[in-house]
């Protein structure tokens, strides 16, 4: 590839990259960055993205070491982080039933309490 072709390709790549960011509405761009901030903190700690329960409006991760087999189906079998708003994550602790165990936090509170949530055992 000639120098002029390589330079042209580099300019196009830069232009397309800038355009793709600007095509997103500001609020959606902020939302994506907020979700990525949480994911970047918890995934290295062993949390896994839950493809079965996540949707376009609802994102959830679970902590596999917290999993408990044989719980009543009305109880949460794993500790889970979920959110519909990246600024307001929720945590559901393993063994929680409907209506209890759902903790709403700020992102900073979530990060500060991750050890506590990861150490929670059912029962």
């Amino acid at each position: 590839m000639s120098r002029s072709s390589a330079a042209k390709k580099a300019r196009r790549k830069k232009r397309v990259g800038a355009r793709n960011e600007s095509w997103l509405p500001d609020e959606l761009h902020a939302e994506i960055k907020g979700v990525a901030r949480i994911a970047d903190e918890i995934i290295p700690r062993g949390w896994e993205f839950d493809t079965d329960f996540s949707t376009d409006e609802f994102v959830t991760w679970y902590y596999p070491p917290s999993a408990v087999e044989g719980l009543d189906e009305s109880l949460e079998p794993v500790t889970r982080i979920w959110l519909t708003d990246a600024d307001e994550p929720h945590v559901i602790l393993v063994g929680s039933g409907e209506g209890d165990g759902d903790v709403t936090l700020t992102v900073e509170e979530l990060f500060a309490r991750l050890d506590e949530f990861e150490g929670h055992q059912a029962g």
Side-chain angles (χ1 to χ4, degrees):
M1 181 181 304
S2 70
R3 276 192 198 174
S4 63
S5 294
K8 182 178 178 181
K9 187 175 181 179
R11 286 191 305 271
R12 184 178 190 292
K13 185 177 179 181
K14 182 178 177 183
R15 193 173 55 249
V16 168
R19 180 182 68 197
N20 286 344
E21 274 194 21
S22 66
W23 281 3
L24 293 174
D26 289 340
E27 61 277 357
L28 182 57
H29 193 65
E31 186 75 18
I32 290 169
K33 284 187 174 189
V35 172
R37 178 179 175 214
I38 293 171
D40 289 346
E41 181 74 24
I42 64 174
I43 289 174
R45 295 177 64 118
W47 293 79
E48 293 186 16
F49 180 72
D50 194 335
T51 56
D52 294 335
F53 290 103
S54 296
T55 66
D56 290 341
E57 293 93 27
F58 181 85
V59 181
T60 183
W61 297 268
Y62 64 94
Y63 192 62
S66 70
V68 175
E69 297 284 327
L71 282 180
D72 179 339
E73 286 188 24
S74 66
L75 301 177
E76 187 65 38
V78 69
T79 296
R80 176 177 306 283
I81 296 172
W82 67 273
L83 51 99
T84 55
D85 178 350
D87 294 327
E88 195 174 87
H90 295 253
V91 175
I92 301 174
L93 299 173
V94 63
S96 299
E98 193 171 323
D100 69 342
D102 187 354
V103 181
T104 304
L105 307 156
T106 66
V107 175
E108 289 72 25
E109 290 170 333
L110 172 67
F111 293 164
R113 295 180 62 188
L114 277 175
D115 287 334
E116 172 190 339
F117 299 137
E118 292 168 354
H120 181 79
Q121 300 296 314

